[in-house]
Amino acid sequence: MRVHQARRLTGVAFAAAALAITACGGEDNTEFIDASKKVTADISAIGQDIGETVSTANQQTDAALQTEFTELADRAGKAVTALGDLDAPEDDITKTVDALSTALTKGQKDLENIATAAGASDADGAKAATEALVADSPAISENNTKLKEQTAELEKDE
């Protein structure tokens, strides 16, 4: 009788441990989902703000452009940091986060180069840095969209 009771208690203990592990995973996923949504929204907003800044660039001074592009680069840097803080629950999501971080780091450098060129009134440097940003932007956009989709799928499974 005691052996049977011990087995039942062991089974209950394993079930409780499994439930605790599952509960922790759910909380981790919720934290990841919330953080991922915030950083992807921030990255999308940076893209929109770049578009607005570029479209009004001919109406601004070089100093104002330097300030705006420096701020955009700083925001991109904060987003890279936020991506680094994400604890993706799946390997494929980790790969997307890494690819997005790499692409956004390039974009951040391009924004810094645009700001530097604007501050120096270097039209050729600004043009080259802008062309680099245009070339690097698709990888940012594609990986940001992919992360949004992966996050939505993960949220749906919650």
Side-chain angles (χ1 to χ4, degrees):
M1 186 77 169
R2 287 187 162 202
V3 171
H4 180 65
Q5 208 171 18
R7 284 185 183 154
R8 189 172 0 162
L9 289 175
T10 301
V12 170
F14 280 126
L19 182 60
I21 290 169
T22 302
C24 287
E27 288 175 18
D28 288 344
N29 286 347
T30 300
E31 289 176 22
F32 171 81
I33 290 166
D34 292 345
S36 177
K37 283 180 171 182
K38 181 178 180 340
V39 73
T40 56
D42 290 348
I43 292 168
S44 293
I46 292 166
Q48 291 171 351
D49 292 346
I50 290 169
E52 289 175 20
T53 300
V54 169
S55 70
T56 62
N58 62 349
Q59 302 164 7
Q60 297 186 50
T61 65
D62 289 346
L65 287 171
Q66 180 182 21
T67 298
E68 287 193 38
F69 279 103
T70 298
E71 288 172 0
L72 290 164
D74 290 346
R75 287 172 52 199
K78 288 176 183 174
V80 169
T81 299
L83 286 168
D85 291 342
L86 290 178
D87 187 16
E90 299 173 7
D91 288 343
D92 61 329
I93 298 174
T94 298
K95 289 177 184 174
T96 302
V97 169
D98 291 347
L100 178 54
S101 181
T102 298
L104 190 57
T105 299
K106 288 180 183 178
Q108 177 189 5
K109 184 65 178 165
D110 297 335
L111 291 166
E112 290 169 352
N113 290 340
I114 294 170
T116 299
S121 298
D122 178 4
D124 291 336
K127 180 182 177 188
T130 302
E131 288 171 351
L133 180 61
V134 169
D136 292 334
S137 292
I140 297 168
S141 179
E142 290 165 12
N143 284 296
N144 199 44
T145 298
K146 186 174 181 180
L147 182 57
K148 286 178 187 179
E149 291 168 353
Q150 289 171 318
T151 300
E153 187 65 31
L154 191 63
E155 185 174 37
K156 186 176 86 172
D157 292 342
E158 284 290 299

